[in-house]
Amino acid sequence: MNQKVRVRFAPSPTGPLHIGGVRTALYNYLFARQHGGEMILRIEDTDSQRFVPGAEDYINESLAWLGIKIDEGVREGGQYGPYKQSERRDIYREHVKMLLDAGKAYLAFDTPEELEAKRQEVANFQYDASTRLSMRNSLSLSADEVKALIDNGEKYVVRFLIEPGRDVVVNDLIRGKVTINSSVLDDKVLYKSADDLPTYHLANIVDDHLMQVSHVIRGEEWLPSAPLHVLLYEAFGWTDTMPAFVHLPLLLKPDGKGKLSKRDGDRLGFPVFPLEWHDPKSGEISSGYREAGYLPEAVVNFLALLGWNPGDDTEIMSMQQLIEKFSLDHCSKSGAKFDFEKGKWFNHKYLQELDNEQLAQLFKPVLEANGISGYSDQYITRVVSMVKDRINFVRDLWDQAQYFFVAPTEYEAKAVKKRWKEDTPQLLNSLIDHLNTLEDFSCAAAETSVIGWITDNGYHMGNVMNAFRLTVVGDCKGPHMFDITELLGKEETIARVRRGIENITVE
Ligand code: GLU
């Protein structure tokens, strides 16, 4: 590649950034970093109707949380700014004029009512070569009439003059050549005098050109706009420096039937946004990966594999490894099913990678929320080390380990039914006597001694050990029994067995 790689992520601040948008940002970032290029964050806020306060901050915070670093943008600055489209009005005005002067665009005065009337009159009405002369625009009206309308303050739009009957080729690095005949395109609005703002199409092309973008990597939903964009490059005379197009496959619903939506997340209980979002208008709260307990590294890894693969079965990859391995050749054309169970699996894997000390720190707020305090870091760290292989989220530590902090007051009914026999209280009373004799309550010593005692007395190993566990844990699951008793200590262990004997009854 001769040209310097410069990519952009160009979200519109119309609400929380969807997880699909995050994947687009991530692929841009991986591609830029791999090629030693630059990543631009451009805020496309030209649709004043759809602007949502807080959305821009949300975008910045999301990318920062995930470790997607921006080289040029509103916050970062850069030599091609401003990076917010609403601050680039002069530039767009100038470019609209260039097209008008070259006869590649025209003014249209049709009111919304007139357009609606036309739609009622003509089936499948499209503003194009076949209809434009029957409309009120600078092609159908005389120069004097146009001038009079403008002088009179009439609102107008600028439309792109599309010549029909031409094959327009979009070269997409994932999809190959996509050819569309210009006759199917309409004369798109490029600018609106009412708010002195360009539409997405004009602003996007002008900015990609001026910001020297080399690759436009974006979601598949923008593919239908690409032929129009190719024609705009041509109209400006910029074909030689036109960026390469890359349209990423859609993220599909978990069952593969249709595009992933916010409703799928609500219905199936997984977030479709990176961070929790509080809608400023409705007050509605949408869940986010961060608040749901995902580690950013896990989300990055999970998203990277939704539409791309490294060419082998490697699944766990750090950001650095993703940067090294990423390639457009291995991006798929077909949509990627959003397998949120796999997302949990990634989180599980990344949690296992954390040090027990780190995990203990993350567990502390959960403990506090459950009214637990006063335990040493060392104690919490040991608890974590015993149960972490059973968790997908930090909060799961509580479900898995609460008996290390609160003695059971209830005993799992099925386990009781299965494990509590008539002679169990008597057996456990003898076990208490034996435990009382132990000087060394460490895992290895207690284990050897208790197992020896069971064997010497000819007791049934399973019966004793399961009943023992039931009294201490409240259930018949958990890590190695003598690791638990070592941490709880002799006194607490014996107290629990005693309480179990008193409280467990079989109907
Ligand atoms: N502003 C568009 C969006 O919100 C950008 C599309 C593009 O990348 O060209 O997704």
Side-chain angles (χ1 to χ4, degrees):
M1 223 171 292
N2 297 325
Q3 200 191 352
K4 171 113 178 134
V5 167
R6 286 177 54 82
V7 296
R8 87 299 194 273
F9 178 52
S12 302
T14 53
L17 183 60
H18 187 266
I19 200 73
V22 176
R23 189 206 44 183
T24 300
L26 175 64
Y27 282 21
N28 272 286
Y29 177 72
L30 297 177
F31 188 74
R33 280 291 178 274
Q34 181 175 72
H35 293 281
E38 277 127 22
M39 163 107 170
I40 302 164
L41 175 63
R42 185 171 71 222
I43 300 297
E44 300 210 325
D45 59 345
T46 56
D47 191 345
S48 45
Q49 307 284 310
R50 294 181 60 215
F51 178 80
V52 173
E56 188 183 335
D57 285 342
Y58 180 94
I59 293 163
N60 283 307
E61 205 182 326
S62 301
L63 299 180
W65 180 63
L66 291 160
I68 297 174
K69 296 189 189 72
I70 301 301
D71 301 305
E72 292 174 28
V74 178
R75 290 187 177 183
E76 298 73 14
Q79 64 180 111
Y80 299 90
Y83 292 91
K84 194 184 284 195
Q85 290 186 326
S86 58
E87 293 169 11
R88 299 170 64 82
R89 288 170 199 253
D90 293 351
I91 298 171
Y92 305 129
R93 229 179 273 127
E94 190 188 314
H95 283 82
V96 167
K97 188 169 179 308
M98 278 160 67
L99 291 180
L100 287 170
D101 290 350
K104 311 238 177 206
Y106 60 93
L107 309 187
F109 296 92
D110 318 272
T111 62
E113 295 73 32
E114 284 166 345
L115 286 168
E116 188 47 40
K118 202 72 183 178
R119 277 189 210 110
Q120 297 296 330
E121 184 191 321
V122 182
N124 301 323
F125 169 75
Q126 176 164 286
Y127 211 117
D128 61 16
S130 68
T131 57
R132 63 171 83 102
L133 289 179
S134 68
M135 308 300 290
R136 281 203 310 136
N137 53 50
S138 56
L139 301 174
S140 63
L141 304 169
S142 71
D144 287 347
E145 284 171 311
V146 170
K147 187 172 180 305
L149 286 169
I150 296 175
D151 290 348
N152 200 24
E154 295 271 333
K155 301 275 178 276
Y156 61 88
V157 297
V158 173
R159 285 183 181 269
F160 190 31
L161 182 72
I162 292 193
E163 284 174 34
R166 281 197 41 207
D167 276 343
V168 186
V169 180
V170 179
N171 265 319
D172 184 292
L173 296 186
I174 295 181
R175 281 147 221 278
K177 267 190 191 167
V178 181
T179 307
I180 281 180
N181 194 279
S182 64
S183 301
V184 305
L185 304 174
D186 64 334
D187 291 355
K188 275 273 176 309
V189 172
L190 300 178
Y191 169 86
K192 295 184 193 135
S193 73
D195 52 10
D196 183 29
L197 276 171
T199 58
Y200 155 71
H201 301 289
L202 182 92
N204 193 268
I205 281 351
V206 168
D207 288 349
D208 283 348
H209 173 72
L210 295 179
M211 295 179 183
Q212 298 190 11
V213 168
S214 63
H215 296 76
V216 166
I217 305 174
R218 61 185 171 191
E220 185 181 270
E221 62 274 27
W222 301 100
L223 184 59
S225 305
L228 173 73
H229 295 180
V230 169
L231 289 174
L232 272 168
Y233 277 102
E234 204 179 281
F236 278 115
W238 299 334
T239 310
D240 289 351
T241 54
M242 186 163 71
F245 288 104
V246 181
H247 290 95
L248 304 173
L250 280 180
L251 289 188
L252 302 176
K253 294 178 193 299
D255 64 6
K257 293 183 187 142
K259 195 178 156 187
L260 177 73
S261 72
K262 173 169 152 32
R263 265 187 292 142
D264 299 315
D266 295 341
R267 184 169 56 91
L268 299 165
F270 62 89
V272 295
F273 301 113
L275 316 179
E276 196 169 272
W277 167 256
H278 297 240
D279 190 279
K281 271 205 206 113
S282 67
E284 192 197 346
I285 296 177
S286 306
S287 67
Y289 278 84
R290 182 177 64 184
E291 291 73 11
Y294 284 83
L295 297 172
E297 296 82 1
V299 177
V300 162
N301 197 156
F302 167 53
L303 286 180
L305 287 167
L306 290 175
W308 168 81
N309 68 76
D312 57 30
D313 309 337
T314 318
E315 288 192 294
I316 301 295
M317 285 166 279
S318 66
M319 186 71 100
Q320 196 47 45
Q321 288 166 321
L322 290 169
I323 290 170
E324 281 157 25
K325 288 172 185 251
F326 186 74
S327 100
L328 295 174
D329 296 345
H330 283 120
C331 284
S332 65
K333 283 197 198 85
S334 47
K337 276 188 214 167
F338 196 81
D339 180 358
F340 60 96
E341 290 298 339
K342 192 78 191 189
K344 288 187 200 164
W345 179 84
F346 274 107
N347 209 52
H348 168 83
K349 289 284 179 194
Y350 276 86
L351 283 172
Q352 306 312 306
E353 298 292 309
L354 293 184
D355 292 343
N356 296 330
E357 287 78 12
Q358 279 174 291
L359 206 44
Q361 291 309 317
L362 296 175
F363 187 26
K364 274 187 177 176
V366 180
L367 286 173
E368 264 162 43
N370 283 289
I372 306 294
S373 60
Y375 286 88
S376 69
D377 283 5
Q378 203 196 355
Y379 185 91
I380 302 172
T381 303
R382 283 193 56 197
V383 169
V384 159
S385 73
M386 282 188 235
V387 300
K388 70 172 182 182
D389 58 343
R390 295 156 199 265
I391 60 160
N392 289 334
F393 300 100
V394 171
R395 63 168 181 277
D396 297 345
L397 285 168
W398 177 247
D399 302 331
Q400 293 298 332
Q402 49 179 291
Y403 57 87
F404 283 103
F405 305 93
V406 217
T409 49
E410 282 173 15
Y411 303 88
E412 212 278 318
K414 265 194 210 138
V416 170
K417 199 160 180 224
K418 192 163 170 209
R419 302 295 180 189
W420 205 260
K421 308 265 153 56
E422 219 172 296
D423 63 344
T424 308
Q426 192 197 335
L427 266 177
L428 291 184
N429 273 320
S430 333
L431 175 64
I432 291 175
D433 292 342
H434 181 73
L435 294 176
N436 268 321
T437 65
L438 296 185
E439 302 264 307
D440 182 354
F441 213 68
S442 68
C443 173
E447 179 167 10
T448 315
S449 171
V450 171
I451 301 297
W453 170 81
I454 294 174
T455 325
D456 293 349
N457 287 289
Y459 298 142
H460 185 280
M461 188 69 68
N463 286 352
V464 180
M465 288 308 294
N466 279 305
F468 183 24
R469 182 181 285 276
L470 195 52
T471 60
V472 173
V473 172
D475 203 338
C476 278
K477 51 191 189 199
H480 185 58
M481 190 57 200
F482 295 99
D483 277 332
I484 302 175
T485 54
E486 176 182 317
L487 195 57
L488 290 176
K490 182 166 158 179
E491 209 178 310
E492 175 65 14
T493 301
I494 291 173
R496 286 188 184 194
V497 179
R498 196 160 278 141
R499 217 172 302 135
I501 297 169
E502 280 162 22
N503 294 328
I504 301 178
T505 45
V506 194
E507 287 134 34

